[in-house]
Amino acid sequence: MSILFSSPSWSKYKDHFKSAFKKNKLNFSEITTDFNTESTDVEFIIYDPSSQLRDFSTFTNAKAVLNLWAGVEEIVQNKTLKKPLIRLVDEGMKQGMIEWCLAHILRHHLNTDVHVKNQDGIWRSDIVPPLASEITIGILGLGELGSAVAQSLSAIGFNINGWSQTKKNIPNVKSYFGTDSLIKVLHSAQILIVLLPLTPKTKYIINASTLKLLPKGAIILNPGRGLLINDNDLLTLLDSNHIRHATLDVFAQEPLIPSHRYWSHPKVTVTPHIAAHTRPSSSAETIAQSILKIRAGEKPRGFVSRKEFY
Ligand code: NAP
Ligand code: GLV
């Protein structure tokens, strides 16, 4: 049996898979990038959403599709895929997301732009930044990434309210769950991080009504998915000064077109979907371990529920 690596980026991953497979006593020569491989001979498909593969129906003996991304919104709807789908749950990705959120939160929390952008001889010692303990951050999505970010921010001293479908037990993080409690998290969120998966239930969850529930002057960070936010509503609420700033990493259409208003808006920061890239070294190790687990008849982390779309 073989392992089909379905990605245009094999050269970036190859050496990392070689060492991860060796470390985990797996046979590296089973990996192929050849699409002409007999599909009934494929045991696993390592899948990059940017690959050309769209029809999974012929991989009748595959044990699972191992997604190289955390987000599965496109592949989860693929009707030809009948095999278990595993999304990436990875330490490198978690660390990347923590660092991106931390950087952009501290930028706004400490008002660093005032000094960075104004090296003009004016001594602005009256602008004293608050302490983290004076600020409440809401995190929508307390999954693998949201909970890692929540723990890092609470370790610095921020007050954290998190929102998910099911109740969570994370030290120093207040867990809100279910549709009705969203309003409570929004009401108190001076900074809001959107780290939900894109599903039929979460699409456009950030819209005029939910944005208005945020305190005036709130900051938004979206490293989740572009379609979680209604862009026109966000622009309206930024223009009316209800929202102070939005830092956006993901967009309805990527790359974000050069003429999009987000690029030139003074209260928007665009980053090009780099919050938490898949790191070849840690993801190779994660995938090697998932293969071992599945072969042993166990469930790896990141098992996707088709019913929930994530
Ligand atoms: P995850 O572990 O599946 O966590 C998803 C969280 O969202 C869970 O806490 C889940 O609740 C909650 N949730 C889902 N639907 C909900 C609903 N309708 N109401 C309330 N809560 C809901 O996913 P993850 O690994 O943390 O990743 C989250 C997302 O980040 C990915 O789907 C992807 O879109 C995005 N991402 C972006 C980047 C980037 O570079 N920008 C990188 C990686 C991932 P339960 O825990 O109760 O199930
Ligand atoms: C990146 O956005 C991912 O979903 O892994």
Side-chain angles (χ1 to χ4, degrees), residues 222-227 248-252 254 271 273:
N222 183 17
R225 280 293 181 263
L227 287 171
L248 310 172
D249 184 58
V250 281
F251 303 90
E254 293 181 5
T271 64
H273 202 148

Side-chain angles (χ1 to χ4, degrees), residues 36-53:
N36 295 319
T37 305
E38 184 58 56
S39 47
T40 51
D41 190 44
V42 171
E43 184 188 12
F44 291 100
I45 302 164
I46 300 172
Y47 182 74
D48 178 337
S50 60
S51 92
Q52 299 300 312
L53 181 57

